[in-house]
Amino acid sequence: MKILLLILSFSLFGQNKTCHEQIVFDFYKDSILKLEKHDGKVLILKKLKENNYSLWSKNALSELNFKLNDTAASIHNCGINEIKNIDSNTFDILKKWKKNKSFVYVSFATCFYDKNIVTIIDNSKKEKRIYYFLINEFGVITKWFDEYFIKP
């Protein structure tokens, strides 16, 4: 009986939710950002934002096989409202949204059937980019791509 209770306690309380947003941010800072040139530190909004679907192109919607009006889409929140592990040598933290300020921000994950989509908006340079990440329920990024939503 004690063994059964011990097993149940580990299975119920020992599981961590997969934070798709944090996994995507860590991938972005460790892999993508290292390949790109930025003048000085990158300004980042620490708080997660809702997806701005108006920036998504027809190409991205097709690539993700996502329909904006589909009722299957929902916001996924793993319990965090802001990004952690922000390297102060690479990033400066923006405390709150500023209208004409250039910065990077991460969206809450959008769940769509068996897919989770997280976007990172980078408007820290003249060309404005959106990064799309497909991530499975186990926290593995299965696909990612980027495109310009404003190109000078």
Side-chain angles (χ1 to χ4, degrees):
M1 182 68 164
K2 289 181 182 179
I3 294 173
L4 181 61
L5 287 174
L6 185 63
I7 291 171
L8 278 174
S9 67
F10 279 122
S11 65
L12 294 176
F13 302 108
Q15 296 177 350
N16 289 333
K17 286 186 177 180
T18 302
C19 274
H20 299 107
E21 300 88 349
Q22 188 67 49
I23 292 167
V24 165
F25 172 73
D26 291 341
F27 177 81
Y28 171 78
K29 81 174 163 101
D30 295 338
S31 300
I32 297 171
L33 207 58
K34 288 185 177 185
L35 301 174
E36 297 184 355
K37 302 263 190 252
H38 283 273
D39 298 330
K41 292 184 181 182
V42 176
L43 194 57
I44 187 163
L45 186 63
K46 193 174 183 178
K47 261 183 127 41
L48 295 172
K49 300 294 287 177
E50 286 193 30
N51 260 308
N52 186 349
Y53 299 112
S54 66
L55 299 176
W56 292 27
S57 70
K58 288 180 184 176
N59 177 53
L61 292 170
S62 174
E63 183 86 20
L64 297 166
N65 196 20
F66 183 78
K67 295 178 179 80
L68 288 180
N69 295 330
D70 197 312
T71 56
S74 64
I75 300 298
H76 173 275
N77 189 339
C78 68
I80 65 167
N81 289 320
E82 58 184 41
I83 297 298
K84 297 176 182 359
N85 303 327
I86 298 175
D87 178 18
S88 62
N89 294 323
T90 308
F91 296 98
D92 275 335
I93 296 172
L94 181 63
K95 300 285 186 218
K96 64 180 187 174
W97 184 279
K98 293 188 179 173
K99 190 173 184 176
N100 294 322
K101 199 79 167 159
S102 296
F103 56 91
V104 172
Y105 69 89
V106 180
S107 69
F108 283 106
T110 299
C111 296
F112 185 66
Y113 295 107
D114 61 342
K115 297 181 263 194
N116 297 287
I117 304 166
V118 177
T119 58
I120 293 182
I121 306 292
D122 183 350
N123 67 359
S124 64
K125 298 186 281 188
K126 288 181 184 171
E127 64 276 351
K128 311 303 182 200
R129 283 176 130 163
I130 184 168
Y131 295 87
Y132 303 89
F133 299 87
L134 278 176
I135 186 165
N136 67 21
E137 65 272 16
F138 305 110
V140 176
I141 297 171
T142 58
K143 179 180 191 175
W144 75 273
F145 62 96
D146 67 317
E147 62 184 12
Y148 294 101
F149 63 92
I150 297 177
K151 193 168 182 173

